Structure formats: structure tokens, C-alpha cells
Amino acid sequence: MPRFSIIVPVFKVQGFLRECLDSVLEQSYTDIEVIAVDDCSPDGCGAILDAYASRDPRLRVLHLPENVGLGRARNAGMPLAGGDYLLFLDSDDTLTPGALRAVADRLDETADPDVLVFDYARTYWWGGTRRNVLARVLTEAGAGTFSAAEHPEILDLLMVVWNKVYRRAFVEREGFAFPPGYYEDTPWTFPVMLSAERIATLDRICLAYRQRRQGNILSTTSRKHFDIHDQYERVFAFVGSRPELSGWRPYLHHKMGEHCLDILSKEDRLPDEDKAEFFRLTAALFRKHRSGPVPPELRLLEGGFTRYRVRRQAGRAGRELGLRGQQARRIVAARAKRVWSAAHEHRPLDPHLAVYSAFSHRGVLGDPGAVYAAARELAPQLRGVWVVRDEEQAALLPSGTEHVLLDSPRYHRTTARATYFVNNVNWPGSLVKRPGSVHIHTHQGTPLKYMAADLLHKPGARHGLDVPQMLRRADRWDYSLVANRHSELVWDRAYPCHFTSLRTGSPRNDVLVRARAEDGAGAAVRARLGIPAGDRVVLYAPTRRDYLRGGHVDRLDLARFADDLGADHTLVVRLHPSLADGPARGMGLAELHRRGVVVDATGEPCVEDLMLASDALVTDYSALMFDYANLDRPIALLADDWGAYAASRGAYFDITADAPGHVARSQRELTWLFTSGAWRDGESARLRAGFRSRFCEFDDGRAAGRVVRTLMLGERAEEPAAVVPVPAQAGHDVLTSS
């Protein structure tokens, strides 16, 4: 008996069917059977199914003699199912890699619940991906099992059949089946979820829900959308047959009203001539099943269609008027700011006022944070003010940190009089550089990939970037901080502006250069992250890919790599910050973190803490490697797609030829490096020494103090002596052509 029976109804999807089947049959978890139901599809789907079945005995094909529709096609497949759990997969959707393994593990962990709800992401025909906006409901449900009565928020999720697996014995005992018609998921999902005694959740994106440009049944203009009324009648009939569920009637009444009004509001659902009839039937159904007070948003159903249409038109007109009003207010506000700025340009600069920002106003971080700390110690007469983007970010600032919100009146008053500006990202274009002010740009590390003007020849990589505007903002820089001669050359080329390069070293790296094992800084971070004492910590920090929409694809099977490292190792994962709020963490990382397989440190604000807490770094092409080299700890590169990365983004040199440690071209090679001990052998140390001599040249642990003394206190400039002499090797400081 297989663990999963995956039922795939198939109709007119020949362009997507192979991708769907491959996503199932190529899963790492193989204890499955696939039951494909050819719903008399008029295209080549039947032949595709037969060809796959001839190659893989796990796939059985049922050819129906006539078209019966999606729900009844699923019904036809259920009697053939022998698995412990049923999974209904639409034939234009796909499972994500590792999905079935994650589901199976979660089922074992929760002792075989009646239903397991997992996460999904919408994938659009133009290439975009968007995670389920209510994914938090899955984590808030907790680690155990529950009923809908105990956690009713579970019903706020999209009530569809395909984001769940169902215990077959539970389905057969209750006699659940799909009705004919559109919206067949409604009278399946509500009864299932209300009847289940044990529900579990999995916070992992297991399914890609394809949003097709054409061919989506529910986006087709048709009277078939009237089926929604019969489907809710079936739901109410089910609840009426179960006295213990009678308390759900007000909730279902509300849901039904919302659902029907949503269909009516969509321009592409109902023929115009049928909308009045749809409204009347909805209102009659609403009155029939009313069981309590009507919420304000549904009172439209208590009047006639003419009143509904007038209210809709008024609402639309109000929204348009509101948008015009917002535009007018923005124009007036911009004019007021210009007048206000002009008035304040004549006020003297405050020689003791410094303004800081980091990573687009995210808090006291990076190089600006290190300079700020040094200024508080060396120049307490200077008043340091941080710019943060919103109140939520302000709440995360260290206690006592003076701050202003971006674009607020206090922000404009403060920036109009500040003498010093320290940032690692360009300031907004509205900020006017006044004579006498000092703009210090720290950058965000040593560049490997093309930046700024060098991207002009890489149209794919610069998509969404306004390079000329970027350079106009960089024209305000007075000083550009560098940690090595390579960076100095790159910034001069990538930012053809009027600034002075200062060989200060990277202020944020001071803590790494001065780190000593006996200081205990890493131990404190490990304790905060819940890493067992004595574990060897491997930090995995991949960068984003410009040649992939969304910027991320799993290069490593994290669970397998963590297992291969051994029980005395902890794998800490930090995705690129630009991916922190996207679907990348939901593709398995969040669930692996919850299960204790890895530590997801993507949300950790201070990456220096993670570096201090680790014993080795695994990365691909992340600039983090240049900072990490200051610790003189082993670094391993996973460079399985270096050719594609370099071709799409552009690179200043071949990192695989000038690597900070061993280079692996596959997960298998990377695993071997660690299991064999080669990750920290003599060759690794030799490569790291050469890398440090080139890229940690000016990092001596005193960079932040050097910036404060030189640029804020006016002391004589003192360049750091090279920490490690630069080898005299031809070509090392020659940048590759753009």
C-alpha cells in the first residue's frame, strides 16, 4: 500500500501535462501511486499519459468515455486509490521539489491526522511568483493537531481541494465526493474541514498554482458561475444533516454572501445580461439561510440589483476620485517641500549633527552602524540621528537611538542642517547636498558582480534600475570607503563621479578582524540561535540570481546536506536579504527550521553575528566571502552555475580561479569536501591566505575609528598599512572588460 495516491484529472492541458507529471514522478519521495483520469480530453493528453504510464509503473491511466467535468473525474479516480492519503493535483499545476518528502515527514510527526494543509505559491504566465498571503495561518496553528472549532482561522485560507492531503480512511468513512459543476471544491472542502477531528499544517510551499493567461475555467465568462448557488446549498444541507455542526451556519452564511458578491464584482465572470438574475438568486439564498445579524459589507444583498449597481458605481467613482486626490496632494506636498527646503537652505549647518542610514533605512547596521558606534566613543559631542523607513523599523532600534522617519517633517528639518551623512545606499533624490556638508559612502562590501555604470551593457541585470539616476545621486558623495585596491578600481569605474577614495578598510569588519575565540562573542550568538554547545557551525549564504525571475532557486538539498554534515554539526542558512519576504523561505527552509534540521537565520539583522558564530562558510558568489575572509576561517564555494551567473550579471574576475577556498561544482563535491576533511586542509589555508592578501588588504580592525578621526574630527589622514602584503602577481588588479 503506497503512502500517497495522487489523483490527476486531465482535460485540454497538453502544453502543461508533462511538467505536471514530471514534478510528481521525479520527487525524491517515491512511495506513491499516480492515478491520471483522462476526462475524454480532445487534444493529445491521452497519448501523453499512456506514454508516461509505459515508462513508470506507478502511473495508471483511466480513460473516461465521455467528459464529466473536474469534480466527477476526481470521483472516478478515488475507487482506484490504495494509498494512505489522497492528494488531488490539477494537471496544469506542479509539486515543488521535495514536497512529498516534507508532507510525509509532517504526517509522521503528527501521527496521521485526518487532513494536512500545506502552503502554495501562485506562478503567473509572465513568470512572476507570489506566495499565499495568509501563510502565517499555517504557523500560527502550532506544531500539533486541532479541529476547525479550535482554530477557525484555518478556514480563512483559500478553500480549495489541492492544498491539502486527506487520510483515505477518513474520506471513505464520511463518504465525501465531488458534485458536478463549477466551484466543486466548495461542497468538498467545507464538509471535510468541519468534520475533521485532527487537522495539521505544514508551512512549506508544496505546490505551484499556475495562473494561466487563458484557459482558466473560473475566469471564463459564462452562466456556469450560477453553479455557486447549488454548491452552497449542498454545504448547508451537509451542515443541516449534522446537528453538531449547526453552530457553523452563521459563518457559512457570511462566506456564501462574500463569495457570491466577489463573483458578481469580477468583470470577466458573468455575461452582463445575466448579472441581475445572479444577484436576485444570491439575495434569495442569503435570505433563506440567514441566521443572525447581517454584517455591513453584506447589506447590499438586502436591496435590489439597481441599488447594488448604483453603490458599486459610486464606490468605483469614489476610488477614482480618491486616486486623483492623492495625486493632487502629492503635487502640492512636493511643491511645499521645495519651498520649505529653499527657506532652510539659508540656515547654517550644524557642525555637530551627523545623519546615518543603512540598507535603505533598516536600522543600525553595517558600516554606518560601526561608524556611528565609533563616533559615540571618540566624538561624543556629535549628535547622531538615524533615518528609518517606518514606525515598525523604529521599534527595533537599540534603546536610546535618536531617529527620524523617512520623509517626515523632522527628517527634512534634520537633513537640511546636518553636516555629516553616512550611508551604504544612496540617499533619496529629494535630499539636497548643501555646500559644506560631508557625504560618506561606505558601500556594502567588495564587489564581485557588475555594479552601476558597468550594468549599462547588461540589460537583463539592470532591469528595474535607473542607472543615470543612481549616478546623479552618487554625484553627492564626497568620500568612498574601500577595503582593498580592487574595490578602489571598481568604484572609480562603476561610479564615474567626483569623490575621493579613502583606503580606510570596512568599518563593519573591525569586529571580525579583532575577533578572538576567547572573547565569547560567537558563543553568545550561538546560544541565542539555539545552537547546541560544541557543535561545529557551517554558515550557508547563497546570493540571488539575476538570470532567474524571483532571484532564487535551491542549489542545495538542505536537509540532505545537513544530514551529511553529521549530528555534531549545525547548518545555518542565510538567504540574500532581497529574498527574505518572498516565497524562497516557504519552499522548505521555514519548515526545516521548525523541525530543527537547519537554522534559518535569514531574518537576523546583523550578519556579522552569524559570521562570528560560524566555523566555516559555504557560499556561491556572495560578497559575504570577502568579509568572512577576515576571520581566517575556512570558506568553500558551490559554483555549479558560475557560467550562467557571470554571463547574466557580469563579474569583475573569475571567482572560481581566484577562490578563497576549495570550489565544488555539485552538491556531491561539496559534501565530499566536508566529510573528507578537505574543507580545512592545507590547500584550503593556502587559497584563503592569497585571497585575504588581496581583498582584506586595508582591514586592520581600526576602520571605523579612522573614518571618525579623519572625516569628522579633521585629524590627519592615516592610511592603514596592508595587513598582508599584496603578492606581485600580474593581472590581479586588472578588471575584466564590461
Side-chain angles (χ1 to χ4, degrees):
M1 178 186 295
R3 188 62 163 156
F4 297 112
S5 293
I6 302 170
I7 298 174
V8 186
V10 178
F11 183 74
K12 293 180 69 173
V13 287
Q14 63 180 4
F16 308 107
L17 183 55
R18 290 182 176 86
E19 186 180 358
C20 172
L21 294 175
D22 288 342
S23 78
V24 176
L25 298 173
E26 294 176 4
Q27 288 279 313
S28 59
Y29 189 87
T30 59
D31 188 16
I32 65 172
E33 64 176 3
V34 182
I35 301 164
V37 182
D38 174 14
D39 192 15
C40 202
S41 186
D43 56 7
C45 286
I48 293 171
L49 292 173
D50 290 339
Y52 269 77
S54 68
R55 298 194 300 266
D56 196 320
R58 295 174 299 168
L59 172 62
R60 285 188 290 170
V61 182
L62 174 62
H63 295 281
L64 299 182
E66 61 180 1
N67 178 253
V68 297
L70 183 58
R72 287 189 287 184
R74 289 170 179 156
N75 290 342
M78 279 198 282
L80 304 180
D84 298 329
Y85 279 85
L86 302 176
L87 190 158
F88 299 97
L89 177 65
D90 288 352
S91 48
D92 55 352
D93 295 338
T94 56
L95 296 182
T96 60
L100 293 182
R101 166 56 65 187
V103 171
D105 289 346
R106 183 70 174 130
L107 291 174
D108 291 343
E109 185 180 38
T110 52
D112 285 4
D114 296 325
V115 180
L116 172 69
V117 186
F118 52 76
D119 200 11
Y120 66 92
R122 296 175 186 265
T123 59
Y124 295 87
W125 61 269
W126 42 266
T129 300
R130 182 166 64 89
R131 189 178 187 184
N132 165 27
V133 296
L134 292 177
R136 57 172 178 76
V137 172
L138 299 172
T139 55
E140 291 169 356
T145 60
F146 55 91
S147 66
E150 293 167 332
H151 190 64
E153 293 80 6
I154 196 68
L155 301 180
D156 292 336
L157 296 174
L158 191 62
M159 294 302 284
V160 290
V161 66
W162 40 256
N163 64 345
K164 307 170 183 72
V165 294
Y166 312 86
R167 190 164 58 85
R168 185 168 61 89
F170 162 67
V171 170
E172 292 177 348
R173 184 191 74 209
E174 299 291 337
F176 295 127
F178 293 92
Y182 278 20
Y183 303 100
E184 74 292 333
D185 285 8
T186 299
W188 167 280
T189 310
F190 278 116
V192 165
M193 296 299 286
L194 297 180
S195 301
E197 296 177 356
R198 299 179 66 247
I199 301 170
T201 59
L202 172 62
D203 180 19
R204 186 195 193 278
I205 297 173
C206 295
L207 183 139
Y209 174 34
R210 189 187 300 273
Q211 306 291 283
R212 292 158 64 180
R213 187 169 183 266
Q214 295 179 346
N216 186 328
I217 294 175
L218 293 183
S219 295
T220 304
T221 303
S222 166
R223 281 187 61 89
K224 289 290 289 181
H225 293 281
F226 280 73
D227 289 354
I228 189 65
H229 302 122
D230 288 340
Q231 306 297 25
Y232 270 103
E233 284 284 27
R234 292 183 172 99
V235 175
F236 282 111
F238 177 84
V239 172
S241 69
R242 306 283 183 101
E244 69 275 13
L245 299 180
S246 61
W248 287 103
R249 290 184 63 85
Y251 173 86
L252 294 171
H253 180 254
H254 190 166
K255 277 288 185 183
M256 180 270 293
E258 282 185 337
H259 198 167
C260 292
L261 284 177
D262 181 64
I263 294 170
L264 188 60
S265 70
K266 297 289 195 303
E267 297 297 332
D268 59 350
R269 296 295 193 271
L270 295 161
D272 287 339
E273 63 272 17
D274 294 326
K275 290 182 178 179
E277 181 185 356
F278 184 90
F279 179 88
R280 287 194 295 271
L281 290 174
T282 298
L285 187 65
F286 193 73
R287 289 192 299 272
K288 176 181 177 181
H289 294 289
R290 179 173 175 176
S291 57
V294 177
E297 65 270 20
L298 297 181
R299 289 174 186 162
L300 284 171
L301 289 169
E302 295 184 319
F305 180 68
T306 300
R307 179 185 173 192
Y308 164 80
R309 189 168 53 186
V310 169
R311 291 282 298 273
R312 284 276 300 166
Q313 290 171 346
R316 187 179 299 114
R319 287 191 295 273
E320 291 177 357
L321 187 62
L323 290 174
R324 291 175 185 172
Q326 289 177 8
Q327 185 179 17
R329 286 191 293 273
R330 283 196 296 268
I331 293 172
V332 171
R335 289 174 180 168
K337 286 178 185 176
R338 287 196 295 270
V339 172
W340 188 92
S341 297
H344 280 73
E345 283 179 3
H346 301 290
R347 298 185 64 190
L349 296 180
D350 183 343
H352 297 117
L353 178 57
V355 177
Y356 299 86
S357 180
F359 300 108
S360 300
H361 321 300
R362 288 200 294 115
V364 184
L365 300 166
D367 290 309
V371 174
Y372 169 75
R376 295 188 69 183
E377 178 183 348
L378 300 174
Q381 71 274 23
L382 292 181
R383 174 187 165 209
V385 179
W386 281 87
V387 178
V388 291
R389 60 190 179 192
D390 52 36
E391 291 285 5
E392 182 179 353
Q393 206 64 56
L396 302 176
L397 293 172
S399 178
T401 303
E402 187 176 356
H403 67 277
V404 294
L405 298 184
L406 180 66
D407 215 27
S408 66
R410 281 195 65 216
Y411 163 82
H412 291 289
R413 288 196 298 270
T414 303
T415 55
R417 299 205 59 204
T419 295
Y420 304 104
F421 292 81
V422 185
N423 202 344
N424 64 2
V425 179
N426 262 325
W427 293 99
S430 59
L431 191 152
V432 177
K433 176 172 168 48
R434 296 185 60 187
S437 64
V438 178
H439 281 242
I440 303 166
H441 194 77
T442 71
H443 303 283
Q444 294 184 40
T446 294
L448 170 62
K449 61 187 179 184
Y450 278 6
M451 304 293 287
D454 287 332
L455 289 173
L456 290 172
H457 303 290
K458 294 288 182 181
R462 77 164 191 271
H463 179 70
L465 293 177
D466 186 339
V467 174
Q469 182 189 65
M470 184 185 300
L471 297 181
R472 285 193 295 272
R473 294 179 178 184
D475 282 333
R476 295 174 297 196
W477 301 353
D478 293 294
Y479 298 100
S480 165
L481 309 187
V482 299
N484 47 66
R485 299 175 212 226
H486 163 79
S487 296
E488 191 172 59
L489 289 171
V490 167
W491 301 138
D492 282 348
R493 167 172 138 169
Y495 291 96
C497 305
H498 302 288
F499 58 78
T500 299
S501 288
L502 287 185
R503 297 178 174 182
T504 57
S506 295
R508 71 182 180 283
N509 287 343
D510 288 349
V511 66
L512 304 180
V513 175
R514 297 196 299 260
R516 298 290 183 272
E518 59 271 17
D519 293 342
V525 177
R526 290 183 183 210
R528 177 164 56 80
L529 295 175
I531 298 172
D535 265 22
R536 179 169 286 141
V537 177
V538 177
L539 173 61
Y540 174 52
T543 193
R544 66 176 293 123
R545 264 65 175 172
D546 292 292
Y547 67 86
L548 293 170
R549 189 179 292 275
H552 176 76
V553 66
D554 289 323
R555 318 302 306 182
L556 277 180
D557 182 333
L558 295 175
R560 177 173 295 179
F561 186 51
D563 185 58
D564 289 339
L565 287 174
D568 58 345
H569 287 64
T570 294
L571 180 61
V572 176
V573 181
R574 180 183 175 83
L575 300 181
H576 191 277
S578 66
L579 303 172
D581 298 323
R585 297 170 82 178
M587 296 299 287
L589 180 55
E591 173 63 9
L592 292 176
H593 174 82
R594 187 195 65 79
R595 288 166 45 202
V597 177
V598 304
V599 173
D600 175 13
T602 304
E604 283 290 315
C606 186
V607 70
E608 290 79 22
D609 284 351
L610 300 179
M611 290 190 276
L612 288 169
S614 65
D615 297 294
L617 171 69
V618 174
T619 187
D620 36 39
Y621 325 116
S622 170
L624 199 68
M625 72 178 89
F626 298 98
D627 304 322
Y628 195 85
N630 282 286
L631 288 169
D632 199 16
R633 298 174 188 174
I635 302 172
L637 263 58
L638 176 61
D640 58 327
D641 65 339
W642 170 246
Y645 181 88
S648 61
R649 175 69 195 220
Y652 292 114
F653 65 95
D654 183 353
I655 189 63
T656 65
D658 286 314
H662 289 296
V663 178
R665 302 287 183 171
S666 67
Q667 177 161 347
R668 182 177 179 181
E669 290 183 16
L670 181 66
T671 299
W672 178 86
L673 286 176
F674 280 88
T675 56
S676 68
W679 63 283
R680 54 175 180 169
D681 63 8
E683 178 64 7
S684 171
R686 186 190 69 79
L687 291 168
R688 187 167 67 254
F691 191 83
R692 292 181 68 238
S693 69
R694 182 181 177 193
F695 296 112
C696 303
E697 184 182 0
F698 305 137
D699 280 330
D700 62 355
R702 299 192 295 273
R706 183 174 294 113
V707 171
V708 172
R709 289 190 173 95
T710 302
L711 302 182
M712 295 178 165
L713 296 180
E715 297 179 4
R716 184 176 62 85
E718 174 197 351
E719 285 191 7
V723 178
V724 181
V726 180
Q729 296 181 18
H732 259 301
D733 288 321
V734 178
L735 306 181
T736 59
S737 172
S738 62

